[in-house]
Amino acid sequence: MLAGENCLPAKMLLDLSEEHREHLAFLPQVDSAVVAEFGRIAVEFLRRGSNPKIYEGAARKLNVSSDTVQHGVEGLTYLLTESSKLMISELDFQDSVFVLGFSEELNKLLLQLYLDNRREIRTILSELAPDLPSYHSLEWRLDVQLASRSLRQQIKPAVTIKLHLNQNGDHNTKVLQTDPATLLHLVQQLEQALEEMKTNHCRRVVRNIK
Amino acid sequence: MEGASEPLLDAKSGVTNQLIDFQWKLGMAVSSDSCRSLKYPYVAVMLKMADPSGQVKNKSFEMTIPQFQNFYRQFKEIAAVIETV
């Protein structure tokens, strides 16, 4: 495929397992308002984590077991996350849901839930990718070493750096020490890396990904 | 550290870390990102230890001069007590 060539995306249908379909089968048994509410709960759970108490409250109001409610919400959540993850088209979403045999009204509601929430769901899913430690901040100190166990009467300059890193929400630090010449070399290497981004080769690659 | 080879009958070598090396240096901090003009002497200590499984770990820490003087006093006390044992 040549870069930049326009091509139609292949048909992408969701593969819904037997168990998944059973869980979703609860949805046509309740009001659209309830399904919309389940949709809201599903997205909220994706944002902040699930809260089992919500299931119990809903189960009491709907007069069903809290397991049924939980499966319904989880089934809906999975439907939304899988669709968002793959970024399937409207048509493919409709065709995937069609096999469930729901009413036209329910199908439209589910499609709307997908379209309304998929950007945000994709943002949440992007944060789940494994994380390397990343730069948070840096503290530095310029020292002069005056003596050590092996050598007295010195004047040796050194730079001590405390690197603050973030990883998966955790904060940790690394303390490093080097001499000014090595620090200069480090700075030159980093500047060279930044310069690379301006080369024609890099610009071409980035342009084609967009 | 001069090889002070402990006899293998030492009960603790299977339980605690063993000190392999004790390095130190005396430095003076002259400038930092938060304070541009300093005259702050400190003692930096680098310990090399082996855990009960034999894995070697480095641990380093710094002390201000008053902290170091307190540190030194502890060892003087330990030495004094050992004399009486």
Side-chain angles (χ1 to χ4, degrees), chain A residues 105-147:
Chain A
E105 189 192 354
L106 183 51
N107 287 346
K108 262 168 75 175
L109 176 55
L110 292 175
L111 176 65
Q112 205 53 50
L113 270 176
Y114 169 53
L115 295 175
D116 288 344
N117 290 294
R118 70 174 166 179
R119 287 250 163 259
E120 186 183 357
I121 292 175
R122 281 179 69 83
T123 305
I124 296 170
L125 292 176
S126 75
E127 287 161 19
L128 294 177
D131 206 7
L132 283 175
S134 61
Y135 175 81
H136 175 265
S137 61
L138 185 114
E139 296 175 73
W140 60 263
R141 197 181 71 191
L142 181 61
D143 297 328
V144 176
Q145 186 173 306
L146 303 171

Side-chain angles (χ1 to χ4, degrees), chain B residues 42-56:
Chain B
Y42 63 90
V43 175
V45 170
M46 286 81 52
L47 301 177
K48 205 190 286 241
M49 297 177 286
D51 71 15
S53 75
Q55 186 174 45
V56 174

Side-chain angles (χ1 to χ4, degrees), chain A residues 6-105:
Chain A
N6 239 333
C7 51
L8 289 170
K11 191 122 192 91
M12 202 178 314
L13 289 179
L14 292 180
D15 192 11
L16 305 169
S17 73
E18 185 76 41
E19 189 188 19
H20 192 190
R21 294 183 202 209
E22 276 170 38
H23 291 175
L24 289 172
F26 179 53
L27 298 182
Q29 294 172 24
V30 293
D31 260 354
S32 325
V34 175
V35 177
E37 180 64 10
F38 280 7
R40 196 198 57 80
I41 293 172
V43 178
E44 190 58 27
F45 282 5
L46 283 172
R47 282 184 202 124
R48 269 178 254 259
S50 69
N51 180 2
K53 284 191 262 185
I54 305 269
Y55 298 139
E56 286 158 33
R60 251 178 282 127
K61 269 190 248 166
L62 297 167
N63 209 11
V64 293
S65 76
S66 91
D67 272 357
T68 307
V69 175
Q70 180 171 352
H71 289 160
V73 173
E74 285 175 358
L76 188 54
T77 308
Y78 189 67
L79 178 67
L80 292 172
T81 53
E82 280 303 288
S83 310
S84 304
K85 165 171 132 184
L86 301 167
M87 195 65 174
I88 62 176
S89 66
E90 267 191 55
L91 196 53
D92 285 346
F93 183 88
Q94 286 171 313
D95 289 347
S96 304
V97 167
F98 184 74
V99 301
L100 298 167
F102 291 165
S103 71
E104 174 145 354
E105 189 192 354

